[in-house]
Amino acid sequence: MKFGVSTFFFISLVLGVSLIERSAGSSFCDEKCAYRCSKAAYNDRCLKYCGICCEECHCVPSGTYGNKDECPCYRDKKNSKGGPKCP
């Protein structure tokens, strides 16, 4: 019985921490991408791809355009046609 309770507690702890990290990371990306895409002509598309890139790279360049050297992962992501994936 003790093994079952301790296993349940451990699994609950791990899941709780992972959910907290995801929500904290998500709000970071949401805020950064909202500013990054604030002047974009296609705002929904910009937010989508910025969010994908932010989740994978854990950073978003400052400003609304350019500055991609601040985040090499973000800068180097390519789409299927070889163009830049991240706005």
Side-chain angles (χ1 to χ4, degrees):
M1 183 68 179
K2 288 183 181 182
F3 179 74
V5 171
S6 62
T7 303
F8 174 75
F9 178 73
F10 178 74
I11 290 172
S12 298
L13 181 65
V14 169
L15 288 175
V17 169
S18 68
L19 288 174
I20 290 170
E21 287 178 1
R22 287 192 119 197
S23 65
S26 178
S27 65
F28 168 80
C29 290
D30 291 346
E31 290 174 20
K32 294 288 188 176
C33 288
Y35 181 71
R36 179 89 178 158
C37 296
S38 63
K39 295 183 180 178
Y42 299 99
N43 193 277
D44 292 342
R45 186 182 307 169
C46 181
L47 288 171
K48 174 184 175 183
Y49 289 108
C50 180
I52 291 169
C53 295
C54 178
E55 290 291 327
E56 292 176 11
C57 297
H58 307 290
C59 65
V60 176
S62 63
T64 57
Y65 183 79
N67 303 323
K68 289 188 178 182
D69 288 336
E70 295 175 0
C71 185
C73 171
Y74 192 97
R75 176 193 65 212
D76 296 338
K77 289 214 165 290
K78 302 293 181 196
N79 63 21
S80 60
K81 297 178 182 176
K85 180 175 187 172
C86 307

